Amino acid sequence: HQRPTALLARASRIRYANVTSSTHQHQHSTCFCTSPLFSLRTTTSQRWTATPTQARSYTQHNTTLTESEEGDVLLPTPFGKPLTIKLVRHGQSKANTAEVSPHAVGDANIGLSDLGKRQAAVAGQLVGADFLTNSLVFCSPYRRTRETLEEMLNAVGMVGDLRRQVSFYEDPRLREVELGYREIEPQSERRRTHGWFYYRFEGGESPADCYDRTSNFLESMMRQLERKNAQMPKKSWDKILVISHGLTIRCFVTRFLHLSVSDFNSMCNPNNADVITIRHKSLTDALPENEQEVAAFETKRWAVHGLKLRPPSPLY
């Protein structure tokens, strides 16, 4: 009987054709499988086969796990309820106003400007107290994202004991793309040559690196959502809030829907305190026609709203 981590490492090398876990005989064992095309979790008491064109659902602990036909990211829909994810970029920071330089004080230490705090408060009101109370909240550890969450909670009156109701998790994988320790402008020509998505800043990361850690975060997020529903079966956890950074949010959307690099290049960076919503299509389709928004991207299962697009560019 192998450990789940060993199964995960082994499963990531499988091409998902007529695969049967060696631990199917154990009724309560679980197999985690990941690849660029799939994020699949099923009890090992089941025999399963997955190909890029199949769609399957499995149920465990009252949680339905569904794989889309396009292979976009798979997440639990608790008790059959469709999932909603809200992604919030931090409010205006003191680096955005050029009051401080990330190279001088460290990118992680930059806080919000006064305007940024007001923007975060507006975002909190848009998201609403109900969503904040009844969602899993994940936040980048950077000062400006933590301050954004603080202002959002204050704006809806969630202070003192009420704040303890928030299921909050700080996750370093949601940090901003690391731009390194050298000036960005002299690297512009190389960025044009190699592409915005692939170019790795000197001493830093590329958006492709951020995409990889976002993929890893999504797997953890999925498992945490299922754990919450197993621990608190009377409360349906069907909402997730992520407070992060512009580029990281774009990587999240790209990974979640399995969009192309060209799609990533077409995304505008979210404005400060923008709220991007990923909804299950059943939620969007159920809205009155006059309340339905045009989705920036959609699959048969998911729709993304609040994200602005631009024509593709080799730099962005």
Side-chain angles (χ1 to χ4, degrees):
H1 184 74
Q2 303 179 55
R3 294 178 180 270
T5 51
L7 284 170
L8 176 58
R10 184 170 64 86
S12 64
R13 298 190 292 271
I14 294 175
R15 287 297 180 183
Y16 301 95
N18 299 319
V19 180
T20 303
S21 169
S22 62
T23 57
H24 282 176
Q25 58 185 328
H26 301 286
Q27 181 177 0
H28 299 294
S29 299
T30 302
C31 178
F32 294 88
C33 300
T34 58
S35 82
L37 294 179
F38 294 97
S39 182
L40 177 65
R41 187 182 192 279
T42 176
T43 56
T44 55
S45 58
Q46 297 168 307
R47 182 180 298 270
W48 56 268
T49 301
T51 68
T53 58
Q54 291 175 324
R56 299 183 180 277
S57 292
Y58 305 93
T59 302
Q60 179 185 18
H61 302 306
N62 296 321
T63 300
T64 300
L65 306 178
T66 307
E67 175 195 341
S68 76
E69 294 180 356
E70 294 93 346
D72 44 335
V73 151
L74 167 66
L75 285 174
T77 40
F79 301 90
K81 292 188 67 177
L83 186 69
T84 299
I85 302 174
K86 290 188 180 291
L87 310 163
V88 180
R89 187 190 173 198
H90 60 82
Q92 183 190 74
S93 72
K94 292 181 179 180
N96 295 143
T97 61
E99 294 177 57
V100 298
S101 167
H103 294 98
V105 302
D107 198 17
N109 301 319
I110 297 172
L112 296 181
S113 66
D114 291 339
L115 174 59
K117 292 178 180 179
R118 295 195 296 272
Q119 291 172 333
V122 171
Q125 293 167 350
L126 287 173
V127 171
D130 179 71
F131 198 98
L132 282 161
T133 303
N134 296 292
S135 65
L136 296 182
V137 181
F138 297 90
C139 186
S140 159
Y142 281 23
R143 179 179 171 183
R144 55 188 178 273
T145 46
R146 289 185 285 110
E147 289 182 353
T148 296
L149 178 58
E150 181 84 10
E151 295 299 330
M152 290 176 67
L153 294 171
N154 289 340
V156 296
M158 298 190 70
V159 296
D161 290 340
L162 289 176
R163 185 160 300 188
R164 297 188 185 95
Q165 299 177 20
V166 178
S167 294
F168 168 74
Y169 305 90
E170 185 178 281
D171 199 307
R173 290 170 294 184
L174 293 172
R175 68 189 185 277
E176 179 61 290
V177 170
E178 296 173 3
L179 302 180
Y181 308 110
R182 299 187 180 183
E183 295 299 326
I184 296 174
E185 188 57 35
Q187 303 178 58
S188 296
E189 190 59 38
R190 275 176 287 172
R191 292 168 68 195
R192 292 189 182 93
T193 300
H194 298 287
W196 167 256
F197 187 76
Y198 302 108
Y199 180 76
R200 181 174 288 123
F201 292 95
E202 294 182 16
E205 291 182 299
S206 67
D209 294 325
C210 181
Y211 179 96
D212 291 341
R213 58 175 157 89
T214 300
S215 299
N216 184 266
F217 166 76
L218 281 171
E219 294 172 6
S220 300
M221 185 181 78
M222 179 179 74
R223 291 193 293 270
Q224 184 61 25
L225 187 64
E226 185 178 5
R227 279 194 294 268
K228 274 289 187 180
N229 279 288
Q231 293 167 0
M232 304 176 67
K234 292 184 178 180
K235 181 173 181 177
S236 179
W237 295 90
D238 58 352
K239 300 177 181 66
I240 292 174
L241 176 66
V242 176
I243 315 294
S244 189
H245 308 264
L247 241 170
T248 308
I249 288 173
R250 289 156 63 190
C251 287
F252 186 107
V253 172
T254 302
R255 173 63 181 89
F256 190 91
L257 268 70
H258 272 270
L259 301 176
S260 68
V261 173
S262 295
D263 290 328
F264 172 87
N265 289 336
S266 73
M267 298 178 194
C268 293
N269 205 46
N271 293 324
N272 292 121
D274 267 0
V275 179
I276 312 301
T277 303
I278 301 175
R279 289 192 186 95
H280 195 275
K281 285 290 291 295
S282 61
L283 289 175
T284 302
D285 295 342
L287 291 172
E289 188 173 344
N290 63 336
E291 294 182 19
Q292 293 189 12
E293 306 171 59
V294 176
F297 296 100
E298 60 182 8
T299 66
K300 291 183 179 180
R301 199 169 305 279
W302 303 101
V304 181
H305 299 276
L307 191 63
K308 301 177 181 66
L309 303 179
R310 62 181 162 217
S313 163
L315 180 58
Y316 297 99

